[in-house]
Amino acid sequence: MLIQNSFKGTQLGNPRVKTAYTEKEIAVKDYFSEKGLNYEGFHLFLRAFKKEQKLEVWVLEAGKDEYSLLHEYDFCAVSGTLGPKRKEGDYQIPEGIYSINHFNPLSKFYLSLGINYPNASDKILSDPASPGGDIYIHGNCVTIGCIPLTDEKIKELYIMAVEAKNNGQNKIPVHIFPARLSITEFTSLKATFPAKTIAFWENLKLIYDDFEKPKKIKPIRVNAKGEYEI
């Protein structure tokens, strides 16, 4: 496919995206080279951890079935507390199983990648009238429930996401957890948070644990109770 007629070509028609590629594409390719990963044809997976304020970038190389950790970014601001987003204006960063559903090269926060909150689970468990929305991974280091990176770092991540979508990945998964859900960390959380929150996190831990060993993502559905099922 010719670049000018591709998703990437359309994105490069925006000045900020063009600037991102000019300034950061070499750095992005270097991340791949340093890990011995192929830059051509890859798919992307993002995992965020609120307590640690980290965003992991995982890559699935063309022709392979296991993801490899490419890079890790720091959040540059946070809002709310540990626990899921349940209503508009609660300042919470969502927790759950999401995907990128919007590329915004004209964002007020430089560049932004939209997350499909509220998802099927949130629509069951959150405020039915006003669950909130417009959740993004973006630049500009401010947040009232989004995941902000610096402008320099969102340039890199945006390039990766554009490349993945241009490679045919229509759904880029984004898993957002309260923390890295190791046995030790989860035991600590249980001693601090209410039972209802812990029950939700136990459900998320199933997803966390399922990826940890094989580094594969299985299909995930939501049942009538709003619980995630593999």
Side-chain angles (χ1 to χ4, degrees), residues 87-117:
K87 65 185 297 185
E88 186 173 6
D90 63 5
Y91 296 96
Q92 289 292 93
I93 297 171
E95 295 172 8
I97 309 307
Y98 301 98
S99 61
I100 299 298
N101 67 350
H102 183 215
F103 287 71
N104 186 358
L106 302 173
S107 172
K108 292 186 291 185
F109 307 101
Y110 197 72
L111 294 167
S112 60
L113 299 167
I115 296 171
N116 68 323
Y117 174 90

Side-chain angles (χ1 to χ4, degrees), residues 52-55 72-77 147-150 153:
E52 294 83 358
Q53 299 179 29
K54 299 288 186 180
L55 179 69
E72 185 175 85
Y73 292 109
D74 293 326
F75 296 11
C76 68
I147 297 176
L149 310 178
T150 65
K153 299 307 182 186

Side-chain angles (χ1 to χ4, degrees), residues 122-152:
D122 300 316
K123 290 174 182 177
I124 293 169
L125 300 176
S126 298
D127 186 302
S130 186
D134 294 329
I135 302 298
Y136 288 84
I137 302 170
H138 60 60
N140 204 29
C141 275
V142 295
T143 181
I144 52 172
C146 296
I147 297 176
L149 310 178
T150 65
D151 287 355
E152 295 307 300

Side-chain angles (χ1 to χ4, degrees), residues 2-72:
L2 295 175
I3 288 179
Q4 59 264 35
N5 295 326
S6 66
F7 177 77
K8 178 178 176 179
T10 300
Q11 286 289 312
L12 283 169
N14 295 281
R16 292 179 191 171
V17 179
K18 187 174 182 179
T19 296
Y21 270 85
T22 299
E23 295 180 355
K24 294 294 184 177
E25 188 177 25
I26 291 175
V28 170
K29 288 181 176 179
D30 284 345
Y31 294 150
F32 280 76
S33 296
E34 289 164 5
K35 294 293 179 70
L37 298 172
N38 188 356
Y39 185 70
E40 301 299 324
F42 70 88
H43 283 189
L44 205 61
F45 167 45
L46 306 178
R47 286 205 310 179
F49 303 97
K50 289 167 56 174
K51 181 178 179 181
E52 294 83 358
Q53 299 179 29
K54 299 288 186 180
L55 179 69
E56 291 179 345
V57 180
W58 293 79
V59 164
L60 182 66
E61 293 179 278
K64 296 190 177 180
D65 62 359
E66 293 184 10
Y67 283 83
S68 299
L69 182 61
L70 175 71
H71 198 64
E72 185 175 85

Side-chain angles (χ1 to χ4, degrees), residues 208-226:
Y208 176 89
D209 289 343
D210 189 69
F211 177 77
E212 276 296 282
K213 291 182 180 179
K215 300 298 186 287
K216 298 178 181 179
I217 301 176
K218 296 176 184 173
I220 298 166
R221 60 184 180 273
V222 174
N223 66 24
K225 297 179 182 179

Side-chain angles (χ1 to χ4, degrees), residues 114-214:
I115 296 171
N116 68 323
Y117 174 90
N119 65 14
S121 172
D122 300 316
K123 290 174 182 177
I124 293 169
L125 300 176
S126 298
D127 186 302
S130 186
D134 294 329
I135 302 298
Y136 288 84
I137 302 170
H138 60 60
N140 204 29
C141 275
V142 295
T143 181
I144 52 172
C146 296
I147 297 176
L149 310 178
T150 65
D151 287 355
E152 295 307 300
K153 299 307 182 186
I154 195 62
K155 289 175 186 176
E156 296 179 357
L157 184 62
Y158 200 91
I159 288 171
M160 296 177 207
V162 167
E163 291 293 325
K165 185 171 176 62
N166 204 62
N167 292 336
Q169 187 180 15
N170 292 322
K171 184 175 289 187
I172 298 173
V174 182
H175 295 184
I176 307 177
F177 298 101
R180 298 185 190 277
L181 296 177
S182 65
I183 293 174
T184 301
E185 181 61 46
F186 199 59
T187 299
S188 176
L189 291 173
K190 283 182 175 180
T192 308
F193 288 85
K196 184 177 181 180
T197 302
I198 295 301
F200 176 72
W201 288 343
E202 285 176 337
N203 183 224
L204 284 186
K205 192 174 187 321
L206 296 175
I207 310 299
Y208 176 89
D209 289 343
D210 189 69
F211 177 77
E212 276 296 282
K213 291 182 180 179

